[in-house]
Amino acid sequence: MREVITPDGRTLAVEEWGVPDGTPVFYLHGTPMSRLARHPDDTLFTGLGIRLITFDRPGFGGSTARPGRRVVDGADDVAAVADALGLGRFAVYGVSGGGPHALAFAARHPDRALRVASLAALAPRDADGLDWTAGMMAGNVRSAEVALLDRDAMTAHLGADASAPPRLPDTEAAVLSRPEVSAMLGAAYAEAVRPGLDGWVDDAFALFGSPWGFDPGSITVPVRLWHGELDTVVPVAHARWLASRIPTATLTAQPDAGHAGHFDATPAILAWLLEPSG
């Protein structure tokens, strides 16, 4: 682990995977996860010559909490890590709760984002014309309700059964039961909540209760969206809304995949991220 100090004095915990001198690609983890989250087959990164960079969002793992943060604020944390590593332009992708943060980087730093991908990710809570919780699993519907209340209520809601990662619908079992996926997610979750629930609480408010702080329609860099049509963690309508607003976006909606299908979609996404940009 490497520690990066942000311009405002916070610590961000950073990990690197794959090829040390390879093509840099940032991966932004889901919720509630940590810098240990990634595709579980590390040979995927070495085979493609990728230097994969991950870091804990504020409050998760080894990163300093930042209460009240918005999704857009995560863009400058990506830039801070890149600056510390001496990186100029690079590709970024995020999964689930990390997807909006990847899009934030594209919007806020178009001069540094080569290509951006968002997999199985949420649309903004204030998305015009989107029935935000329609088709969503009960636990996330409840999180969306509590995100309109206060911090104590969210802490109690998330802490009610925080001894293990949130239970996902049975339709996700085929992927989540793979030993390599289960082991990676268990370690990533344990590290995420090791210091407490602050990171998870702040992610929940940023993703489930607040505007993102930027307009997805302002994104100008190439964007690839992926979503499973069987997803009830984050319904596919969220991706379709994003695709209709981001002028540079292409959406792949996979009929036979759920939320965890993003693991199988990752190799193709990485290959796309490595393609030359105009």
Side-chain angles (χ1 to χ4, degrees):
M1 185 188 79
R2 172 173 180 164
E3 293 186 345
V4 168
I5 306 301
T6 64
D8 60 352
R10 292 176 293 111
T11 297
L12 296 174
V14 181
E15 294 282 354
E16 296 192 38
W17 319 85
V19 181
D21 59 350
T23 302
V25 175
F26 272 73
Y27 171 71
L28 307 186
H29 64 75
T31 305
M33 286 289 142
S34 67
R35 69 188 185 280
L36 303 183
R38 63 205 186 281
H39 192 282
D41 182 2
D42 290 338
T43 65
L44 175 61
F45 312 125
T46 56
L48 291 171
I50 289 174
R51 176 189 181 187
L52 190 78
I53 300 155
T54 64
F55 69 95
D56 296 331
R57 277 196 296 282
F60 288 116
S63 290
T64 308
R66 188 181 183 183
R69 59 181 166 87
R70 300 174 300 165
V71 168
V72 71
D73 297 322
D76 289 340
D77 284 348
V78 175
V81 173
D83 289 344
L85 299 179
L87 302 176
R89 302 185 71 203
F90 45 87
V92 180
Y93 76 112
V95 164
S96 194
H101 293 85
L103 296 175
F105 186 75
R108 193 168 177 87
H109 296 283
D111 56 328
R112 302 188 71 173
L114 289 172
R115 290 180 168 221
V116 173
S118 174
L119 293 78
L122 297 155
R125 181 64 192 269
D126 60 350
D128 181 46
L130 175 65
D131 187 348
W132 206 83
T133 58
M136 186 178 283
M137 71 178 196
N140 279 354
V141 171
R142 180 56 181 158
S143 292
E145 295 169 347
V146 177
L148 302 180
L149 301 177
D150 57 33
R151 191 174 190 85
D152 288 343
M154 182 61 75
T155 301
H157 165 61
L158 298 179
D161 188 18
S163 60
R167 177 175 172 79
L168 298 186
D170 291 342
T171 53
E172 307 295 335
V175 176
L176 297 180
S177 63
R178 297 174 189 171
E180 68 277 13
V181 172
S182 177
M184 182 278 294
L185 290 177
Y189 175 77
E191 175 61 11
V193 299
R194 176 180 54 78
L197 297 180
D198 282 342
W200 193 357
V201 168
D202 291 329
D203 246 27
F205 278 121
L207 294 165
F208 285 82
S210 307
W212 285 357
F214 69 95
D215 177 9
S218 69
I219 295 173
T220 57
V221 305
V223 172
R224 183 66 59 90
L225 305 172
W226 178 92
H227 217 104
E229 293 188 357
L230 302 181
D231 192 346
T232 59
V233 180
V234 180
V236 69
H238 287 240
R240 293 194 171 113
W241 187 94
L242 288 168
S244 72
R245 265 64 177 184
I246 302 172
T248 57
T250 299
L251 168 63
T252 298
Q254 188 168 331
D256 60 347
H259 193 71
H262 68 76
F263 286 109
D264 293 333
T266 294
I269 289 293
L270 288 175
W272 177 80
L273 289 170
L274 295 178
E275 291 178 10
S277 294

